[in-house]
Structure formats: structure tokens, C-alpha cells
Amino acid sequence: MKTVLFRLSADHGHFKKPWTSNSPQTYLVPPKPAMLGMCAAMAGINRDVFKNELEQYCKGLSYGLMLRSPLKKKVISTHQLNLDNFHSSKLGKKESPITSPKPSEYIVEFDADVVIILNDDRNAEAKRLFDDLLEAMTSGCYAFEPTMGHVNCFASAEFIQEGVSSRGSGAFQTNGFTLSPPKNDIDVLVEKLPIMRKAGMPFFDIMHKDVYLSEMGGMLSSEGEHVRFNDVDFCVV
């Protein structure tokens, strides 16, 4: 299967869990629809086109990662500007345009190698996204710079390699995520990660899978389907 490997790093990231509001929480790693959205932005695919074709992208492409550093989260409080109150203050009213601090959870110091895999050449939408992403990465010219979920969480995406990956089954080790509890004695974190979304689908109807991540960044021993690329095993969604 055609595969592209790149390094994704960022000081901060936020992929909001939709059931959190006043104090938004974040997924530990990018959900699949968000990762494909980041790839589409770098490749220059129109936002409306992406939304309409997201289901085909999710079916035709797989995504996995290999952590370069342990996962970390931090609560950061930020002030926001209320534009309604801002205009009122211009008219002499007393409402402050600056809101009180709002705590939000952020991923910090994220650093991982990411694989994007084209599962089926016959999926025209997925193939176009893959080809456009590969062209953007190999040329080093992105239509839009990548961000880690939040518009102000700028990221770096560095092309590493393109090639062909193969599917396997049985025992494997990975420093990314697994889809079943690891066999070795290691502290893990479990995330219900979104993997499929259709255009217009409410957040609460998004398809999820439980993924298991090492709390301190160690290798996970698991069994099941996986992908091998450049002599490294990835579990993919």
C-alpha cells in the first residue's frame, strides 16, 4: 500500500472532546478526521470539498503514529475577547470586552512520526488527497501550514519518506497506539478516538475506537492486525 511518513511536532495542540464545554478537554493524539483535515489543508483541498468527501477519506486512508516523546497534557487558562462587549464598550457601556480566564486542556511538546496509508487506489477521493499531500510534502510547499487542532497551535510537518507498506497479523511492538490492551506490564492510557465522520454528522454520532497509549512513551506489545513500513510496525485506524 502506498505510504507517506512525516514527522509532526508542536509546542501545543488541542483536539476538543465534544462533550466538554466550560473547561474543554483534549484527546491525547489527533483523531483520524482531524489528522486527515490537517493533511487536506496542507495539500490545498477546498474546505467544503473536504467536508463533503470526508467519509470517503476515512474509508480510503489509514493513519498511525510512532511517538518520539512521552505524551503530556497541561491545563492553560486564557482570556478571550467578547466582540459584542467590545463594541458596547466603544459606546461607553461598562461591559468588559475581556472575558474571565477560561481553563482548557492542551497537549504540550507533541512529537511523533505519522504514517498516512492509501488503502485502495480505487477510492478516487482518497487517492487524490494522498497524491496531493505527497506532492506538497516532497516539494516542501504547503497550501496552509499545519495546526494541531486549534488555529493558534502551529505545528511543523517534515517529510521523511514515501514507499510501500505491508499488512501483517500476529504479535508486534509499537511506540504508538494499539487497538487492544498491551500484553506487557506497562502503564497505559485509554482514549475513545474518533475514526469516522460523515458530512453533517453530529459529534455524538461519530464512530470511535478505543486506543491504548503508553503513559510514559514505552513500547507496547500487542497482537492483531498492523502495518509494517520501513521495518517499523504501526497500528493504524
Side-chain angles (χ1 to χ4, degrees), residues 14-21 25-27 73 105 191:
H14 181 86
F15 299 95
K16 183 182 176 183
K17 294 181 177 179
W19 56 87
T20 63
S21 55
Q25 298 177 13
T26 181
Y27 293 101
K73 290 199 292 189
E105 196 176 52
E191 282 278 25

Side-chain angles (χ1 to χ4, degrees), residues 192-213:
K192 191 174 287 293
L193 199 68
I195 61 164
M196 170 72 81
R197 187 179 182 187
K198 300 179 183 179
M201 177 183 286
F203 282 114
F204 293 99
D205 291 336
I206 297 173
M207 292 177 58
H208 298 77
K209 273 191 178 180
D210 288 340
V211 299
Y212 298 81
L213 298 139

